[in-house]
Amino acid sequence: MKFIKFNIIALILFCSSVGVAQQLPQFTQYMYNTISINPAYAGSRETLSIVGLHRSQWVGLEGAPTTQTLSIHSPLRNEKVGLGLSFINDELGYENFSYLYGDFSYNINTNENTKLYFGIKGGFTSYSLDPEYRASQSNDPAIYGIEDRWSPNLGAGVYWTSERWYLGLSAPRILKTNQNKEEGFEALERVSYYFTGGYVFDLSESVKFKPATLLKATNGAPLSFDLTANFLFNEKLWLGAGYRFDERAGEFAGLADFQVSKQLRIGYSYGYPISDLRPYTSGTHEVLLMFEIFKSKRIKSPRYF
């Protein structure tokens, strides 16, 4: 009975993804993967930054999403221009979405301690359907007419930051793309708007507190937002919790990040769903690796974002 329920839920998730729209995957540790949603973030850490992240969502549920992302970004020598490149691989059931995008940013000083970054991104989104599944469902009207394809897209954003806070607003995919050419069927990559923000408070000489938020608005989809609260101990260990409000996939999460060295950080988060999926999954796991190459003359303070 449980096996049947797993398959029914996976089928519902799959059909809703094909029949409605694909949206960019969201991460619990979004504050360290900002470049995937905001091109203005490129170069803002003032050093060469490489981030890898793996997310296994709703473990135990057949056809549940798994996502990997790899990004690299850095300022150029004049420090006004930043460049970045990001790749996301997102699998949901029999569907696969891949995103390959380049990022460009330019920043201006708004005062002695703050900078405003403007960014654009451009690249391609790949959509493919498992060949065996396509062949087995060739007569299904929900499958007929869907083609594997690469679709170009553009994005834009702004990012305002200081040593202690940041605010961001972006639309990483501006163009709508249709995966199915058949008349009367719509499967669009919809336009989503992201607002991000965070602040670092000093609680003592060795403890800092960093709340952060991400708000996502998509036309025709429920509004979702993430709230996280992290404590930093001795500039080494981050411990915190998060909450995602989403009508379809809300969750509570615990987060832990450790600064192994000045160059290397590792992170882990565990999320437990608060939606109707709760009885069928053991939760969501996310692993983060961040590697940075520092040039001392560029880094004037610790980078908390």
Side-chain angles (χ1 to χ4, degrees):
M1 177 64 70
K2 189 175 291 187
F3 177 77
I4 295 175
K5 288 181 179 178
F6 286 173
N7 281 277
I8 291 174
I9 296 171
L11 181 61
I12 291 172
L13 290 171
F14 169 69
C15 291
S16 64
S17 174
V18 174
V20 182
Q22 168 67 8
Q23 300 176 36
L24 278 174
Q26 284 185 238
F27 300 95
T28 303
Q29 301 174 90
Y30 58 87
M31 66 291 293
Y32 306 124
N33 192 43
T34 305
I35 195 170
S36 67
I37 59 172
N38 192 343
Y41 189 72
S44 65
R45 290 188 62 84
E46 301 180 337
T47 188
L48 176 65
S49 181
I50 304 171
V51 176
L53 198 152
H54 173 84
R55 178 178 174 86
S56 295
Q57 188 169 340
W58 306 330
V59 172
L61 180 62
E62 186 175 345
T66 59
T67 308
Q68 302 83 35
T69 179
L70 178 65
S71 65
I72 178 171
H73 65 101
S74 174
L76 298 187
R77 287 188 176 182
N78 64 8
E79 300 186 6
K80 288 293 185 181
V81 174
L83 296 179
L85 183 68
S86 60
F87 174 76
I88 301 174
N89 179 62
D90 189 30
E91 295 185 6
L92 171 58
Y94 300 105
E95 293 183 289
N96 177 268
F97 291 84
S98 297
Y99 308 83
L100 181 61
Y101 282 80
D103 303 275
F104 172 88
S105 74
Y106 184 83
N107 72 81
I108 59 174
N109 295 322
T110 50
N111 63 38
E112 185 178 350
N113 299 314
T114 64
K115 289 183 178 182
L116 180 61
Y117 291 77
F118 302 89
I120 57 173
K121 73 164 58 233
F124 297 88
T125 298
S126 168
Y127 172 80
S128 62
L129 194 61
D130 182 79
E132 293 184 5
Y133 181 80
R134 184 193 297 276
S136 67
Q137 303 293 323
S138 58
N139 295 323
D140 188 340
I143 302 299
Y144 180 76
I146 298 179
E147 299 178 352
D148 294 352
R149 64 175 64 183
W150 284 85
S151 302
N153 216 318
L154 301 170
V158 293
Y159 184 75
W160 193 24
T161 184
S162 74
E163 295 177 1
R164 290 286 170 165
W165 56 263
Y166 71 94
L167 295 171
L169 180 63
S170 61
R173 306 290 182 268
I174 295 176
L175 305 179
K176 295 182 178 181
T177 58
N178 193 336
Q179 297 158 9
N180 193 327
K181 295 181 179 179
E182 292 298 306
E183 186 175 346
F185 186 92
E186 191 175 52
L188 301 176
E189 187 175 23
R190 294 179 177 176
V191 180
S192 295
Y193 301 93
Y194 294 82
F195 171 79
T196 56
Y199 197 97
V200 173
F201 299 89
D202 286 321
L203 300 184
S204 69
E205 290 186 3
S206 60
V207 181
K208 292 179 172 61
F209 175 59
K210 186 185 77 171
T213 186
L214 181 152
L215 176 67
K216 177 184 176 184
T218 304
N219 184 31
L223 186 71
S224 71
F225 67 85
D226 289 63
L227 295 173
T228 59
N230 283 282
F231 293 90
L232 173 60
F233 301 94
N234 297 314
E235 301 287 343
K236 286 286 187 180
L237 177 64
W238 288 102
L239 293 176
Y243 170 72
R244 172 172 299 157
F245 174 81
D246 189 312
E247 291 182 9
R248 295 175 297 187
E251 70 174 21
F252 287 107
L255 303 89
D257 287 83
F258 183 69
Q259 196 75 40
V260 179
S261 66
K262 187 177 181 180
Q263 292 78 26
L264 179 63
R265 176 189 294 184
I266 59 175
Y268 171 77
S269 71
Y270 171 77
Y272 190 71
I274 55 175
S275 65
D276 293 339
L277 293 174
R278 185 171 58 249
Y280 309 106
T281 172
S282 60
T284 295
H285 303 272
E286 201 173 278
V287 178
L288 170 82
L289 285 175
M290 178 185 292
F291 183 78
E292 296 184 306
I293 300 175
F294 289 89
K295 295 184 178 180
S296 58
K297 66 178 182 179
R298 277 186 175 162
I299 302 300
K300 305 175 182 64
S301 62
R303 308 309 300 167
Y304 299 117
F305 321 113

